[in-house]
Amino acid sequence: MKTSRISLHQMFTLLVLFLSSTATLTSIGRYSGQDIWIVFLISSVLGTILYTLYYRISKLNEFEPLPNILKETFGKWLGTLLNIGYIGYFFYITTGLLKSIGDMIGISLMVDASMILILVLLMIPVVYGMIIGVNTI
């Protein structure tokens, strides 16, 4: 299977778009009111630092995937446990954001639609993007 990679600029753009959209949907964005730009600024800086950390770790390990790096660094058992925790954390965050976006769409655009229908319609482009790769979209 051919692996596609995105450039540093594309990754930074995805990071900024992700942070700006999630800050408005989560409770942090709701409670900050007109000061949401401060939340966006802080989250952009922290997200950029985290991305740089991931990039440097990946560069030190010859751009191996993070699960392989964790297994090499922490051993088979602890590395596998960390990988499961990593996957679980991102699954938890993803489902929370999907529910927030579904609620927003259900309240504002598709008032009479079933929440399951809204969530399935939101997942179709996500699954499609995962199948064909982010770079080809």
Side-chain angles (χ1 to χ4, degrees):
M1 175 186 243
K2 185 179 175 187
T3 309
S4 64
R5 295 189 184 261
I6 59 175
S7 69
L8 186 62
H9 181 264
Q10 290 171 327
M11 183 62 191
F12 183 75
T13 304
L14 283 173
L15 179 72
V16 169
L17 290 173
F18 172 76
L19 291 172
S20 63
S21 63
T22 55
T24 58
L25 290 174
T26 59
S27 59
I28 294 171
R30 285 186 220 138
Y31 296 128
S32 60
Q34 70 185 60
D35 295 330
I36 196 166
W37 67 273
I38 298 171
V39 173
F40 175 65
L41 186 65
I42 292 170
S43 63
S44 294
V45 169
L46 293 176
T48 303
I49 290 169
L50 185 64
Y51 171 72
T52 305
L53 179 71
Y54 281 146
Y55 178 78
R56 300 232 180 195
I57 290 171
S58 181
K59 188 176 180 181
L60 286 173
N61 291 289
E62 300 170 358
F63 296 102
E64 283 285 320
L66 187 61
N68 294 353
I69 294 171
L70 290 175
K71 277 189 179 179
E72 278 183 24
T73 306
F74 296 105
K76 182 180 178 182
W77 298 106
L78 185 59
T80 302
L81 187 64
L82 288 172
N83 284 331
I84 291 170
Y86 192 74
I87 291 168
Y89 170 73
F90 280 102
F91 183 72
Y92 174 74
I93 295 296
T94 303
T95 55
L97 288 174
L98 184 66
K99 179 72 168 112
S100 295
I101 294 170
D103 286 341
M104 184 187 70
I105 290 174
I107 291 171
S108 61
L109 298 174
M110 302 173 76
V111 179
D112 294 330
S114 166
M115 183 57 68
I116 294 173
L117 174 67
I118 295 170
L119 295 177
V120 166
L121 289 175
L122 285 172
M123 286 304 296
I124 290 173
V126 172
V127 172
Y128 180 71
M130 288 175 62
I131 291 171
I132 66 168
V134 175
N135 215 10
T136 57
I137 297 176

